[in-house]
Amino acid sequence: MGGSESKPIQQEVHQPKPNPELDEPWRKFDWGQKEALKEKLENFSLSDPDVNHIKILVAGQVGAGKSSFINSIDSVFQGRICSRALVNTAAGDSRSFTQKLKGFPIRSGRKSLPFVFKDIMGLEAAALAGSQTDDIINAVFGHVKDGYKFNQEQALTYKDQHYTSDPTLSDQAFCLVYVIAADTVQLTDDKLIDKLKIIRKRINDQGIPQVIIMTKVDEACPLVNKDLRKIYTSKKIKEKMELCSTKVGVPLSNIFPVKNYHEEIDTEDDIDVLILKALEQIVQIADDRLLDREIY
């Protein structure tokens, strides 16, 4: 009579959170190889005795950490935090802090190592913002002199005093390194990716290898933020690297996740070894290109 049946109480079913970590590292990595890698790079000799240094051009989106990567390499070899390449830390400033092409020789103590990193103005999605694709391509081929101030509205022409018409082997870059931030790779503007693809195609035609350095891994993944050694068991970092490979067209074997020095006051072995391994690969493939240049 007028009574209502009581409804059974439904219990909430809590789904277990997916494990952010793989059971096994997807890339084998020896965390104890720091000293061996450092010694190998300190004693590296180029395949061409007529070339004193190989140049490596570093390009990337504004704020991705190009200059910080160069400083981090410096820091590894000096055993202290270095900041020769100036870095912009102003919040909300999306402009490239690097305005001129500048070379940074790498030293271990006082010994000069046979490679020089060239820092270039950051890339931006807009057509008339950041460095021009032609400027990056010309810098790879050695046509741009150090000290050239980038013009966002017009690329360097052969009439400019900073243009080198007949570059030597020592003027040319034998590897292009793209620096891409892991925490924002999924947001990278398609127009910026198109710029990268234009550069990639033009230098591919001349056999110039490309490497991606994926920075800010600690900001992209809480697991890695707590323990850098989780970098190759992190599902998130693996996904970011695969996305980066698909977007830019660089194979996974040429993508290296690193953490740059930015807030530390002392160097750390785990940060060092990731940077050294990436550097070893960059130097090896640049030297291979130097050796094989007569094919092109």
Side-chain angles (χ1 to χ4, degrees), residues 104-175:
F104 292 91
I106 304 299
R107 300 182 186 90
S108 183
R110 294 191 175 183
K111 178 184 178 182
S112 284
L113 304 185
F115 23 90
V116 173
F117 280 80
K118 307 288 288 249
D119 197 7
I120 199 165
M121 188 181 200
L123 275 166
E124 296 182 48
L128 297 179
S131 56
Q132 294 289 318
T133 54
D134 281 350
D135 278 343
I136 294 177
I137 293 159
N138 279 330
V140 169
F141 295 139
H143 294 299
V144 186
K145 293 179 182 176
D146 274 13
Y148 167 64
K149 186 171 182 180
F150 297 102
N151 182 344
Q152 297 189 54
E153 296 181 3
Q154 183 181 336
L156 180 72
T157 70
Y158 70 94
K159 296 177 182 177
D160 193 284
Q161 62 176 351
H162 282 96
Y163 188 92
T164 301
S165 298
D166 191 18
T168 65
L169 280 177
S170 295
D171 293 326
Q172 299 169 42
F174 286 94
C175 181

Side-chain angles (χ1 to χ4, degrees), residues 29-98:
F29 193 81
D30 177 5
W31 291 93
Q33 62 183 321
K34 174 186 166 179
E35 292 306 323
L37 283 170
K38 192 176 175 187
E39 185 178 347
K40 182 178 179 181
L41 287 160
E42 285 170 340
N43 297 309
F44 193 87
S45 57
L46 302 180
S47 60
D48 189 325
D50 295 329
V51 178
N52 293 326
H53 295 85
I54 44 174
K55 288 193 169 68
I56 295 147
L57 190 71
V58 184
Q61 188 173 6
V62 171
K66 295 182 295 86
S67 301
S68 293
F69 178 60
I70 294 170
N71 286 335
S72 296
I73 292 171
D74 240 356
S75 301
V76 173
F77 285 105
Q78 295 301 328
R80 59 182 173 80
I81 303 301
C82 299
S83 54
R84 278 194 300 156
L86 298 179
V87 176
N88 188 11
T89 57
D93 190 349
S94 62
R95 295 166 301 172
S96 176
F97 200 60
T98 304

